[in-house]
Amino acid sequence: MFYDIGMVYPGSYSFSPGTTGGLPTGSYADNWGIGIRLNLPIGPLRLDYGIPITSPPRTGTSGRFQFGVGYTREF
């Protein structure tokens, strides 16, 4: 299980709300979900399903799948 929260701003060092591509920025969105990680012979497989709790207008209110294959670098 996971919980995720974040905000998006128009520029790298801009912390003022604005719009990007017609979508508002500077408002936060958060979601929760479940995921599974499988180590297969072809490499790792990641499947996640997230459900929004709070979302900005025009971003949708239904859950979404995230699919990933391969390795990632740890920070």
Side-chain angles (χ1 to χ4, degrees), residues 8-24:
V8 176
Y9 290 98
S12 299
Y13 297 101
S14 169
F15 298 105
S16 299
T19 59
T20 299
L23 295 174

Side-chain angles (χ1 to χ4, degrees), residues 3 10 17-18 21 29-30 39 45 51 55-56 58 62 68 72:
Y3 173 76
D30 62 343
N39 287 321
L45 175 68
I51 302 164
S55 59
R58 295 180 50 189
S62 63
T72 60

Side-chain angles (χ1 to χ4, degrees), residues 1-2 11 15 17-19 21-23 27 30 33-34 36-37 39 43 56 60 62 65 71-72 74-75:
M1 293 192 75
F2 65 86
F15 298 105
T19 59
L23 295 174
S27 58
D30 62 343
I34 57 173
I36 188 168
R37 306 295 184 260
N39 287 321
S62 63
F65 278 102
Y71 294 94
T72 60
E74 298 295 327
F75 288 101

